Amino acid sequence: MANMRLDKNPMPEQDPVLRAGNFDEVALGYTPEMAIDEAKRCLNCKNSLCRTGCPVKVRIPRFIAKVAEGDFDAAYEIITSTNSLPAVCGRVCPQEKQCESKCVRGIKGESVGIGRLERFVADYHMNKEVKDEVKVPESNGHRIAVVGSGPAGLTCAGDLRKMGYDVTVYEAFHKSGGVLVYGIPQFRLPKEIVAKEIDNLKAMGVNIINNAIVGKSETVDELFADGYEAVFIGSGAGLPMFMHIPGENLCGVYSANEFLTRINLMKAYKDGSDTPIMPLAGKKVAVVGGGNVAMDAARCSKRLGADVYIVYRRGMEELPARHEEVEHAEEEGIIFKTLTNPVKINGNENGYVASMTCVEMELGEPDASGRRRPIEKVGSDFDLPVDCVIMSLGTTPNPLIKNTTPGLEVNRKGGIVVNEAGLTSHQNVYAGGDAVTGAATVILAMGAGKLGAKSIDEALSK
Ligand code: FAD
Ligand code: SF4
């Protein structure tokens, strides 16, 4: 019989005071008992609405039923038949806006903890002492190139490999994983977990070449000349935006992308790092923006010993970051300066940040995005003393591939234009993920990678 308890089993977490001083994972994961108990809350609905909210169509009620029976291996099989990165998705997907937002148990009480269960199953499998043998699909002799090893590229590569294609992924960085390794911090997504998911793909026969920038080392057209029959572009949206206010070129101003890459990928917080960041212990940091990236930059700064402000021009209600991330940031002592907008960054005599001049805002009528428009309060400007400013205003796709691929159409925001099959304006070139949509989510990028793989297979099977 279903467990009719109204609330989800809470996620065990590191204590906020402790975790604000370390980079260890915040959420600790369910025990088998907690997972089985939570799985029993699922009604196994015939018309499972939760599935309609999942961009990679995980067979949610089926895997949850297996968890409820304690058959975690079968649950893993079911999840991985459509999702090649379950340990990642279980940690970072905004389930509250996707599968869980559709769950009928959410009508009266809390939805089933689908994400927490997915994470449990993936971790259970990863920690098993005796590993299942990886099935290496037989080659069908067709070669495909994938640009970028983020969730879009990896999903496309994994799905094509499962269908028998010989897939090579070209990745600009020395490590694979895209934003999963250089953006999302260790305390939300341990890098060992990303590495293990990538190892699974490699064991299946996906070939990854690192330090290979398509557009510099080889162009897309040269990949075709090398014998690839189709190319999937999953190069993400790594170009940061700035406010274009005075003082943005002072020492101590970072884009969130640069700041997080230095910390996550280059381990800048460790002694002797080749790409350090300024020492932040005892300093004041302002992170400008209110999305997940801003929360990550703020929480990293806190862990490096700084007092941290989130400076955001709308109110708490309008913060675009996941609710859970905002809550975690508040628990860790991040100060939210909402309805506040920077207008100038002021330097000291050495060219370093000394303060940021801000104005107070109020909310007017909704704008085109449906959110209330922030309006400046006249004469409300004040100086916020800070030593470091991190701009987290969003990112756009890097123009390198567009500039080196004749005939590749992009929109006015730099996103590659694709049709409903993920095909670009260039023959046999497909694209998906942030490179198409601009900064979005892991699961949407994975959905686009799946679509790309399916479309490539359909085109080459004709
Ligand atoms: P990316 O992950 O950006 O991967 C693109 C890859 O392509 C990179 O590795 C890049 O080096 C490589 N590349 C680029 N150009 C070239 C080239 N010319 N040649 C070869 N390789 C190239 N989403 C969530 O769902 N939940 C979250 O909690 C979340 N938190 C986030 C936190 C941060 C700090 C950031 C920055 C993003 C976050 N996102 C989150 C968004 C999510 O990570 C992205 O939407 C997702 O990673 C996009 O996947 P992608 O594969 O399209 O691109
Ligand atoms: Fe289970 Fe909720 Fe999906 Fe119904 S909607 S099958 S209760 S997870």
Side-chain angles (χ1 to χ4, degrees):
M1 214 178 80
N3 170 354
M4 294 312 289
R5 204 185 58 243
L6 291 183
D7 51 346
K8 280 182 206 175
N9 259 342
M11 176 61 105
E13 283 172 356
Q14 254 201 87
D15 176 79
V17 177
L18 245 171
R19 73 184 192 228
N22 69 50
F23 276 82
D24 298 341
E25 192 170 12
V26 169
L28 302 174
Y30 278 168
T31 60
E33 295 72 29
M34 287 173 180
I36 292 173
D37 185 59
E38 181 62 23
K40 287 185 176 163
R41 292 187 61 234
C42 174
L43 303 178
N44 219 327
C45 313
K46 260 207 179 101
N47 179 19
S48 47
L49 291 176
C50 51
R51 248 199 114 186
T52 63
C54 175
V56 297
K57 297 282 170 275
V58 169
R59 288 176 290 158
I60 294 167
R62 286 242 221 146
F63 100 74
I64 293 183
K66 290 296 171 193
V67 177
E69 290 168 19
D71 189 349
F72 307 138
D73 288 321
Y76 182 77
E77 283 287 310
I78 294 168
I79 297 175
T80 48
S81 66
T82 57
N83 182 350
S84 43
L85 305 172
V88 171
C89 290
R91 286 173 164 80
V92 303
C93 273
Q95 289 101 4
E96 69 282 3
K97 290 189 185 147
Q98 289 168 335
C99 51
E100 292 185 13
S101 74
K102 312 268 182 192
C103 170
V104 291
R105 291 297 310 262
I107 298 170
K108 197 173 168 198
E110 286 185 330
S111 66
V112 174
I114 302 169
R116 293 174 186 182
L117 290 172
E118 184 178 36
R119 169 189 163 142
F120 167 78
V121 171
D123 287 2
Y124 167 84
H125 185 265
M126 233 173 231
N127 296 330
K128 257 174 52 166
E129 284 190 3
V130 183
K131 296 273 178 263
D132 306 331
E133 211 179 298
V134 178
K135 293 175 201 133
V136 181
E138 214 173 292
S139 164
N140 64 11
H142 294 286
R143 293 175 66 214
I144 314 292
V146 170
V147 183
S149 67
L154 290 178
T155 303
C156 184
D159 278 19
L160 285 167
R161 189 69 272 278
K162 281 184 196 159
M163 295 179 219
Y165 290 90
D166 293 331
V167 188
T168 300
V169 179
Y170 290 81
E171 168 53 51
F173 275 131
H174 63 286
K175 276 211 175 134
S176 312
V179 170
L180 307 180
V181 290
Y182 78 73
I184 304 181
Q186 179 77 10
F187 55 83
R188 282 213 294 128
L189 180 61
K191 301 309 148 216
E192 308 76 56
I193 284 180
V194 182
K196 280 188 186 165
E197 304 250 39
I198 292 172
D199 285 347
N200 283 343
L201 291 173
K202 284 186 181 164
M204 242 169 54
V206 172
N207 178 29
I208 304 184
I209 302 179
N210 292 99
N211 299 313
I213 307 178
V214 173
K216 283 208 168 146
S217 32
E218 251 182 316
T219 64
V220 168
D221 286 329
E222 283 165 353
L223 291 173
F224 284 108
D226 283 351
Y228 292 105
E229 294 168 68
V231 175
F232 177 83
I233 302 174
S235 50
L239 196 67
M241 295 200 270
F242 283 90
M243 291 188 80
H244 303 294
I245 56 174
E248 271 182 319
N249 56 352
L250 286 166
C251 296
V253 180
Y254 296 89
S255 71
N257 252 41
E258 179 190 346
F259 183 78
L260 289 168
T261 305
R262 281 174 183 253
I263 291 179
N264 292 313
L265 196 64
M266 312 305 290
K267 310 286 177 225
Y269 52 89
K270 291 190 175 163
D271 287 342
S273 162
D274 288 342
T275 57
I277 40 171
M278 60 187 287
L280 291 181
K283 303 281 189 209
K284 288 188 167 31
V285 173
V287 178
V288 182
N292 285 319
V293 182
M295 298 306 137
D296 284 343
R299 296 174 70 198
C300 282
S301 306
K302 186 76 192 177
R303 282 160 173 75
L304 296 174
D307 291 329
V308 189
Y309 303 108
I310 288 273
V311 176
Y312 180 58
R313 62 195 186 130
R314 291 184 163 97
M316 287 302 280
E317 293 288 301
E318 287 79 22
L319 281 168
R322 284 182 74 187
H323 180 67
E324 185 181 87
E325 300 311 323
V326 175
E327 215 173 77
H328 280 154
E330 282 184 306
E331 284 170 3
E332 289 167 14
I334 311 283
I335 302 160
F336 283 76
K337 286 205 164 288
T338 51
L339 294 171
T340 303
N341 202 31
V343 287
K344 188 172 150 216
I345 304 167
N346 310 298
N348 63 20
E349 60 287 0
N350 299 321
Y352 280 81
V353 173
S355 70
M356 188 164 77
T357 306
C358 302
V359 286
E360 290 176 22
M361 310 293 281
E362 55 195 349
L363 293 180
E365 292 301 310
D367 61 16
S369 72
R371 292 180 305 168
R372 291 177 65 193
R373 187 190 301 274
I375 302 167
E376 189 176 319
K377 278 192 197 168
V378 180
S380 65
D381 51 310
F382 66 96
D383 271 359
L384 184 66
V386 287
D387 309 283
C388 171
V389 175
I390 301 172
M391 290 292 177
S392 181
L393 307 160
T395 51
T396 55
N398 190 307
L400 176 66
I401 292 198
K402 182 232 152 202
N403 291 345
T404 53
T405 313
L408 189 73
E409 196 187 328
V410 300
N411 62 28
R412 69 185 171 81
K413 289 186 174 169
I416 299 172
V417 176
V418 293
N419 68 10
E420 63 287 351
L423 178 65
T424 69
S425 54
H426 189 298
Q427 202 185 6
N428 293 337
V429 176
Y430 296 76
D434 286 5
V436 167
T437 55
T441 63
V442 170
I443 197 74
L444 286 174
M446 289 179 66
K450 281 191 107 50
L451 174 69
K454 181 169 167 274
S455 301
I456 289 172
D457 179 52
E458 280 168 7
L460 296 186
S461 311
K462 270 183 193 160

